[in-house]
Amino acid sequence: MQDWKNYVYGRARSAWARGLPLYGSSFRFTIVYLCGDSPADIDNIIKPIQDALVGVVFSDDSLVSDVDSHRRFISDGIDLTNLPALLIEGALSGEECVYVAVDSAGPLGSYL
């Protein structure tokens, strides 16, 4: 598990454009897991990824108040319309991948 966290940490450091962790009171964590035929449970990959992003994306994962998680099978085909460039790149690779986005949390009513 520590190897996975180290891998995610390294990838996040190279992909995080801001260079400094976000500071604020609450964040929305969005994950898209493009998987093969034997996927991990989506809920089991959220926490290790959040842990790996501490110090890179946010100062502490306790600041994550909202989580959106999505799992899609690569073999089902992925509609690339309106997807972020990094997610399109992952989908086109044909390999399992995880896309993560972190934004400020919105009002509860905006999610319901």
Side-chain angles (χ1 to χ4, degrees):
M1 180 64 70
Q2 191 58 47
D3 288 343
W4 168 246
K5 287 182 185 180
N6 292 339
Y7 174 77
V8 172
Y9 178 84
R11 292 295 301 220
R13 282 184 53 105
S14 66
W16 187 244
R18 298 178 187 189
L20 298 171
L22 295 171
Y23 289 92
S25 58
S26 59
F27 297 107
R28 179 181 187 174
F29 181 84
T30 303
I31 183 171
V32 178
Y33 173 30
L34 302 182
C35 62
D37 295 333
S38 300
D41 293 344
I42 187 93
D43 58 323
N44 291 337
I45 65 173
I46 294 170
K47 181 64 174 151
I49 292 173
Q50 285 180 340
D51 289 345
L53 298 181
V54 170
V56 177
V57 177
F58 35 74
S59 59
D60 192 292
D61 62 337
S62 67
L63 298 174
V64 175
S65 60
D66 303 320
V67 177
D68 297 315
S69 60
H70 311 274
R71 181 181 72 197
R72 298 295 184 270
F73 289 91
I74 298 168
S75 60
D76 289 345
I78 308 291
D79 180 1
L80 304 178
T81 307
N82 298 320
L83 297 182
L86 280 175
L87 186 52
I88 291 172
E89 182 181 328
L92 291 175
S93 77
E95 301 289 324
E96 283 196 344
C97 63
V98 177
Y99 170 84
V100 175
V102 179
D103 299 300
S104 295
L108 184 59
S110 68
Y111 304 131
L112 305 175

